[in-house]
Amino acid sequence: MDAITFRSAGVPCAAWHLPGQGDHFAGDHGRPCVVMAHGFGGTRDTGLLGYAEGFAAAGLDVLLFDYRGFGDSGGSPRQHVSFRRQHVDYVAAIAAARQLPGVDPERIVLWGTSYSGGHVVPVAVADGRIAAVVSMTPAMDGLAALMAMYRHGGLGRLLPLVVHGLRDAARGLFGRAPHHIPVVGEPGSNAVLTAPGALAGYTALAGPTWRNEVRARVALEVAFNRPIGRASRLRSPLLVQVGANDSVAPPAAARSTAERTGGPAELREYPVDHFDVYDGPVQQRLLADQVAFLRQHVPGHTIPTTIEVRTA
């Protein structure tokens, strides 16, 4: 695994490059590369390396990166979750992946989970050359997520987040330090994610660069992040993996995205919650399904098992 950097909007982004092993996915122009990023408020060292290593062992190159302002990447302000900025970072990561030695630039795979599981849809649509897309427990509709929060907690859940968001925005207007709220917390707290079990599930995955805070203005933006609206324009093969018991990302929006896509789509459901997919047997099962999907849709050249000898 090599540590590399690339630039997004002039800011250095930290990434790991894992070269693929073996020739299973090899083609005339190199191997496919899976471009991966983390979910809401996460970092590349937060539960993703097991997937990256699995792809590399199967024969795929991997580029796993931190968004600007997160983890080891540069940029300020820190801990600013903006889906528009993160889309730009994905585009820069794809460009970097296409320049890696041994990578086939026409066989880039986009992989996302949770918040980034939604990002991969509009980014693939905009690129137009993505070989396949893997979207795991995705957040496909920010408006639906807010409505779910309202149904479970009423205005008492949403209004404090809006107030925190306005406070952060106002501080930004006057050049003052950002106002942060926790990424994840216990039910009843002022964190963004407060589903039962979310705090324990998220912190169990947290790597050394992860911080439990984001700029509060994200509360004013999240409803406008609706990847589901781009699904009909997606032509790349799409795998959507849904946790049937997902208490963070509404499963209905993920199912609907798979139905609306303009290209081939595969929808798989698992009896798990949002944070169950990052380790153990569940992680192994989802990874195996992802590799099988990529073998079907991003195949390497056929390696003959016998040699035919012709005589004159």
Side-chain angles (χ1 to χ4, degrees), residues 24-235:
H24 191 86
F25 280 92
D28 294 338
H29 302 287
R31 296 188 183 87
C33 184
V34 183
V35 177
M36 306 175 62
H38 47 82
F40 187 90
T43 47
R44 60 183 165 146
D45 58 5
T46 303
L48 303 190
L49 195 54
Y51 283 98
E53 291 173 338
F55 289 136
L60 298 131
D61 275 40
V62 176
L63 181 71
L64 170 58
F65 71 97
D66 281 327
Y67 296 118
R68 283 174 285 166
F70 285 87
D72 291 322
S73 288
S76 62
R78 309 296 296 175
Q79 305 299 117
H80 177 35
V81 176
S82 162
F83 69 88
R84 295 180 180 90
R85 283 166 53 101
Q86 294 181 348
H87 289 182
V88 172
D89 294 347
Y90 253 109
V91 171
I94 292 167
R98 285 179 168 142
Q99 297 298 317
L100 288 172
V103 166
D104 183 345
E106 298 303 321
R107 291 197 294 159
I108 298 298
V109 175
L110 294 190
W111 186 98
T113 179
S114 190
Y115 213 49
S116 65
H119 295 349
V120 292
V121 170
V123 172
V125 170
D127 184 275
R129 296 165 54 197
I130 298 301
V133 178
V134 176
S135 177
M136 185 174 75
T137 56
M140 289 295 186
D141 191 340
L143 182 59
L146 283 187
M147 293 304 297
M149 292 169 67
Y150 174 76
R151 285 193 296 272
H152 289 109
L155 288 177
R157 170 74 177 114
L158 291 182
L159 284 180
L161 290 176
V162 172
V163 171
H164 283 293
L166 292 173
R167 180 181 172 186
D168 181 44
R171 291 178 69 87
L173 288 175
F174 292 100
R176 301 181 66 183
H179 172 60
H180 294 102
I181 56 176
V183 175
V184 61
E186 296 288 0
S189 70
N190 66 347
V192 180
L193 308 177
T194 61
L199 179 60
Y202 205 143
T203 54
L205 306 168
T209 67
W210 182 74
R211 292 163 50 184
N212 189 14
E213 61 178 10
V214 289
R215 294 195 70 176
R217 65 178 57 192
V218 68
L220 308 179
E221 180 184 300
V222 68
F224 298 99
N225 180 32
R226 306 191 69 198
I228 190 172
R230 303 287 186 89
S232 64
R233 297 173 58 189
L234 180 65
R235 298 294 181 267

Side-chain angles (χ1 to χ4, degrees), residues 203-294:
T203 54
L205 306 168
T209 67
W210 182 74
R211 292 163 50 184
N212 189 14
E213 61 178 10
V214 289
R215 294 195 70 176
R217 65 178 57 192
V218 68
L220 308 179
E221 180 184 300
V222 68
F224 298 99
N225 180 32
R226 306 191 69 198
I228 190 172
R230 303 287 186 89
S232 64
R233 297 173 58 189
L234 180 65
R235 298 294 181 267
S236 307
L238 171 67
L239 171 63
V240 179
Q241 294 176 302
V242 175
N245 306 320
D246 197 323
S247 57
V248 174
R255 297 183 189 111
S256 182
T257 298
E259 293 171 357
R260 296 184 187 191
T261 184
E266 183 174 325
L267 174 66
R268 286 184 174 268
E269 295 209 22
Y270 310 83
V272 300
D273 201 350
H274 194 74
F275 292 102
D276 294 337
V277 300
Y278 297 102
D279 61 10
V282 175
Q283 189 266 355
Q284 290 297 309
R285 181 180 174 190
L286 268 68
L287 173 63
D289 289 344
Q290 293 169 14
V291 171
F293 175 81
L294 295 179

